[in-house]
Every structure is written in C-alpha cells, then in structure tokens.
Amino acid sequence: MACSKKVFGTIVVIVGPLSYIMLYMFYPGTWNTVHSMIPRYNGPEVTKMKGKPSQIDEKYTNMMKTTDYKKPLNAPLSTTNAETCRKPETQIIFLKTHKTASTTTNTIIQTYGLRHKLVFALPRGNHIMDENKYFSRDMLLFKMKPPRGFGRVYNVIANHLRYNRTELDKVVPRAKYITIIRNPVRRFESTFGYYDIPRQVHLRPGNNAIDKFLVNPEYYMKRSQSVMCRNQIRNGMMYTLGFNHKHDKNQDVIKKTIQKLDSELDLVMLTEYYDESLLLMKKLLCWTFEDILYIPKGYRSKDRRYKITASLAKKIAQWNDADVQLYNHFNQTFWKKVEEYGPDFDKDLAKFRKMQSQFYDKCVDPARTQRYQKREDRLIMRKYAPVDCKLAFFRVYNFHHMLRNVYIGKMPYPKHYLVK
C-alpha cells in the first residue's frame, strides 16, 4: 500500500470508529490527526431530534447530516481558568459499550493502569463478562478483594459488562464513572456488519439485508440464538447501561433511566467527538496529554459494511429510539462540559492533535494492515517501536491474560512497563 493518499484514506476508515457510512460522508479537511476527517455533528443539529411524531422525517434524517466542528453553544466559553487538579484519579470504572471506540478507550485506560500499577478487577472467564445478567462480584476472578500483595481495594474495572451501580461501587469504591456512546444509526450499522447479524438471523447477506431485517425485526430476532443479536441490535447502548428491553417502547422508563444515568455518570464520551472526549477525560482524571495518546484498533472489512440512505436511517433510529434519546441527552451535556473546561479548550485540542499525529506516525507501519476473522483490518506496529507504542497496540484480551497470570502468581509484574 502506498504511503500517501491510500494510507490517509485508511486512517479515515479506521476512526470514528469502524463505520461504512463514514466512507460516504467524510469531507475534505486539513487536520493532521488520526481523526482529522471524522464526520462531526454540531450540537443544535442533533438536538433538533425532539418533537411530535409528525416530525419524524426531520428528526431522523438530521442524524445523517455532518458539519465542520464548532462549539454548539449559545454563550462563549467561560473566561475563568480551568480548575487545576491536585493528583491523578486512581479509582476508575469504564463502562465499555459495543461498537463505539470503546476498545480504543479501554486500551488507554489499561495502559495507564499498567504503567502505574493500578489493580484491575478481572472477570473469571474472558475479557467480556456475562451481559445477560447485571454485573455482580460473582463474575470476578477474585470476588471480594484483590489477590494478596496487590492492596486492599480494586482501582479499575474496564470491561464489557451490564451496569449495576450498587455492585460496582462495592468493587471499586469512590470511582469516576466513564462511558462512551455513538450516533445510534451508525452504531446499528456497525453492529449489524461487524457481528454478521444476517448470518445469525438467517438472512441472505447483501446491501439490502438491513432493509429486510427492519421489515419485521422481532421475527428475525426470534430466529437468532445469539446473545449479541438479542441484547445489542436494539437500543444496545441503553441495555449495557442497565436498561431492560421489556421497556423499549415505554417512554417514561426511558426518560427516567436517562435521568438516572445523568446523575450517576461522571463523563459520557461521544465517538463522533473522540479527541474532544479524551480532553474531557484527561481533565476529569487529572492525567497528562501523554496518557491519552492512542492507536485505533481496526476497521471493518468491506464486505461487512452497508450503505445507509436517509430513509433507512429513519427506520434504524425508530427501532433504536431509546438509544436516540440517550444520545440526544448526552450530546447536550457534553458541550456543557466543554464550556466548563475553560478558555484553553481549543488550544489544548490543537496541542493534543499534534501530539496524536506524531504518536501515530511513530507507531504505525503505513504500508501494512492485518485481516482478523474476516471482519476487521488491523493496523500493524512499526518494527523496533518503543514501549509506549507496544502498550497502545496491546489487545484487551492479551492484557487480561497477562494480568491474570500476574494475579495468580504464574508470572511477575511486568516492571519494564512502569513509569520511570
């Protein structure tokens, strides 16, 4: 692969993350960062998605529009200095949602934890806990407290799990709660393709598979034995955050659930504004710019992508109405947090993007990718890349396997990764 236009196009596809629709909607730009050409929503455009059912066409087709980045605020940023943090936060719970750039975010958190010897609460099995049930301590490798020699309390949970605040508070007390959500139309398309939903529900694959599915989605879901299909193909983000699918059409429960989440979560990141989200996370956790550098974890293969028309976007959004309301709500609170960041936000964003671009160039081999399970193409690390690159490429399941062996005494702690 050539190192010029083709590589840059690859970067565009990778980020966002992982959605075919981006191929059709990106716009020319000059930002020299991994996310430089990600389609971006301005706040007012997305939050127009309120109103009566008669306005449904306008509501849902607005989700497919993109604009250049600008602060969607009626008032200018505060002129007060951003609060200076005293010390980094070490109690963190990251609620990992599906197909939202959560794996990339998870890697940022696991890298920080590994370098500062934070103690992770690991699941008994693989890196994904049982999402058919709400989280409980019974799902952990060590239920009540960390293994001997690793302190008295856990510091971090960063897994796919189903939100249960009561149990999570007992495992990681006084934690900062973070999650990430994505435009529900794009997330649905990404989920549908990445997890090969047509095969699971016995639909013939093709560009019209989503159309066919949405003609009678309940019928097709009953044909599947897949946990991913049952739990994630409708209002999957709300489900992960504790919502019960029996209330998918109950507007009162949807609104109460969102309000509850608003009062309990410290930061809800937006995939479409990933770099901005990381700046907010940096401030919340009192981290450095170096702590939030990242490598995108891959992009879907071409045969797992679907073209989304405006009419199809409307159907997808109707089917995922609870997720749409979730996204609308936190799209508004997100920009309030940007305002509260202070007058240095744009300057810090530019600084971070420059550092991120340099980090990407230092770590990524621009001429190669690797196909994974027929559904994903992954970036390849440069030969002789430094330690910080290796950590950024560390897959979640490899990280869990390594820490599991450390905690049960099969291997020593990898001290060469510690901050010096």
Side-chain angles (χ1 to χ4, degrees):
M1 183 184 295
C3 299
S4 55
K5 293 183 178 179
K6 290 186 178 180
V7 173
F8 190 66
T10 301
I11 296 172
V12 172
V13 179
I14 292 169
V15 300
L18 318 178
S19 179
Y20 174 87
I21 190 69
M22 291 181 183
L23 292 175
Y24 291 86
M25 303 184 68
F26 67 79
Y27 55 90
T30 57
W31 296 336
N32 294 320
T33 63
V34 177
H35 285 275
S36 61
M37 293 181 68
I38 186 170
R40 295 176 178 269
Y41 306 96
N42 68 17
E45 191 166 56
V46 177
T47 55
K48 285 178 184 176
M49 295 175 57
K50 298 178 179 180
K52 300 177 181 178
S54 60
Q55 299 171 309
I56 200 166
D57 289 343
E58 179 184 354
K59 285 166 61 181
Y60 294 123
T61 54
N62 275 338
M63 293 202 69
M64 303 303 296
K65 296 179 181 178
T66 59
T67 62
D68 290 337
Y69 166 72
K70 54 187 176 182
K71 294 182 259 326
L73 303 171
N74 295 323
L77 289 177
S78 170
T79 57
T80 60
N81 290 331
E83 181 181 356
T84 302
C85 51
R86 297 179 179 178
K87 63 178 182 178
E89 294 286 345
T90 58
Q91 300 297 105
I92 304 164
I93 291 179
F94 177 59
L95 304 170
K96 197 171 184 294
T97 49
H98 290 271
K99 309 314 301 168
T100 59
S102 67
T103 298
T104 299
T105 312
N106 192 102
T107 304
I108 294 171
I109 294 171
Q110 76 183 22
T111 296
Y112 183 90
L114 186 63
R115 301 205 73 177
H116 294 82
K117 207 173 183 179
L118 302 185
V119 184
F120 286 75
L122 300 180
R124 288 183 303 178
N126 61 25
H127 61 288
I128 299 179
M129 298 190 195
D130 186 355
E131 293 179 282
N132 280 317
K133 304 174 183 178
Y134 290 103
F135 170 80
S136 73
R137 285 168 289 176
D138 292 337
M139 298 177 180
L140 298 177
L141 180 63
F142 297 93
K143 298 179 184 179
M144 302 304 298
K145 58 183 180 180
R148 182 176 297 179
F150 288 91
R152 295 183 178 181
V153 297
Y154 287 111
N155 301 123
V156 183
I157 289 182
N159 294 89
H160 281 302
L161 55 81
R162 196 153 176 231
Y163 181 53
N164 179 353
R165 182 59 181 250
T166 301
E167 282 288 287
L168 287 167
D169 279 345
K170 293 175 181 177
V171 176
V172 184
R174 304 176 303 280
K176 295 295 185 183
Y177 279 77
I178 302 170
T179 192
I180 183 168
I181 60 175
R182 182 182 184 183
N183 180 312
V185 173
R186 298 185 177 194
R187 181 192 173 277
F188 176 90
E189 185 274 329
S190 181
T191 303
F192 199 87
Y194 189 81
Y195 294 111
D196 198 9
I197 299 300
R199 179 183 60 81
Q200 297 183 31
V201 300
H202 311 292
L203 256 176
R204 182 175 296 179
N207 284 333
N208 61 347
I210 293 180
D211 282 289
K212 290 181 179 178
F213 175 84
L214 291 175
V215 169
N216 193 349
E218 288 91 351
Y219 165 75
Y220 285 111
M221 288 179 69
K222 289 178 181 178
R223 299 178 70 180
S224 174
Q225 300 300 315
S226 166
V227 172
M228 187 60 58
C229 185
R230 291 198 306 269
N231 295 340
Q232 292 296 323
I233 206 64
R234 184 180 194 183
N235 296 322
M237 295 184 292
M238 282 282 278
Y239 177 85
T240 296
L241 297 175
F243 183 71
N244 194 314
H245 278 311
K246 70 181 182 181
H247 300 304
D248 277 326
K249 299 179 181 180
N250 189 321
Q251 293 300 313
D252 288 339
V253 175
I254 291 171
K255 287 178 172 58
K256 288 179 180 178
T257 301
I258 293 171
Q259 289 300 325
K260 184 174 183 288
L261 291 169
D262 184 82
S263 68
E264 294 181 349
L265 303 180
D266 295 286
L267 176 63
V268 178
M269 303 167 63
L270 301 180
T271 306
E272 288 75 20
Y273 296 98
Y274 193 64
D275 291 347
E276 293 88 341
S277 294
L278 289 178
L279 270 191
L280 295 181
M281 186 175 81
K282 168 186 171 294
K283 179 186 177 185
L284 175 70
L285 301 179
C286 196
W287 287 4
T288 67
F289 285 102
E290 289 79 9
D291 293 328
I292 58 172
L293 297 174
Y294 63 95
I295 298 298
K297 287 298 175 284
Y299 62 98
R300 277 177 297 143
S301 57
K302 293 181 179 179
D303 58 351
R304 295 290 184 91
R305 303 174 191 156
Y306 296 88
K307 184 177 181 179
I308 305 298
T309 63
S311 61
L312 185 55
K314 170 184 170 181
K315 295 176 183 178
I316 294 171
Q318 287 177 299
W319 174 246
N320 291 276
D321 181 61
D323 271 359
V324 169
Q325 293 186 52
L326 176 78
Y327 186 89
N328 277 347
H329 177 87
F330 285 106
N331 179 65
Q332 296 180 54
T333 62
F334 180 88
W335 296 106
K336 291 178 183 177
K337 290 183 182 296
V338 170
E339 182 179 12
E340 293 166 358
Y341 185 100
D344 292 334
F345 185 84
D346 285 341
K347 182 179 71 174
D348 287 353
L349 184 62
K351 176 181 178 179
F352 172 59
R353 285 180 167 156
K354 181 178 180 179
M355 294 175 65
Q356 173 61 31
S357 178
Q358 293 169 346
F359 182 69
Y360 183 95
D361 291 341
K362 177 177 75 172
C363 297
V364 176
D365 184 337
R368 296 189 298 158
T369 58
Q370 179 185 47
R371 177 59 57 91
Y372 174 74
Q373 292 184 348
K374 298 182 180 180
R375 65 184 184 181
E376 182 181 345
D377 290 324
R378 294 179 172 179
L379 297 172
I380 301 296
M381 185 171 63
R382 289 183 183 272
K383 290 184 178 180
Y384 313 115
V387 169
D388 54 348
C389 294
K390 294 177 181 178
L391 287 171
F393 271 91
F394 216 4
R395 306 302 301 193
V396 173
Y397 42 80
N398 292 332
F399 174 80
H400 277 229
H401 179 72
M402 180 192 69
L403 271 192
R404 180 187 299 273
N405 286 335
V406 170
Y407 290 165
I408 64 177
K410 284 190 174 181
M411 65 175 287
Y413 196 90
K415 294 183 179 180
H416 56 287
Y417 290 139
L418 294 174
V419 174
K420 297 179 180 180

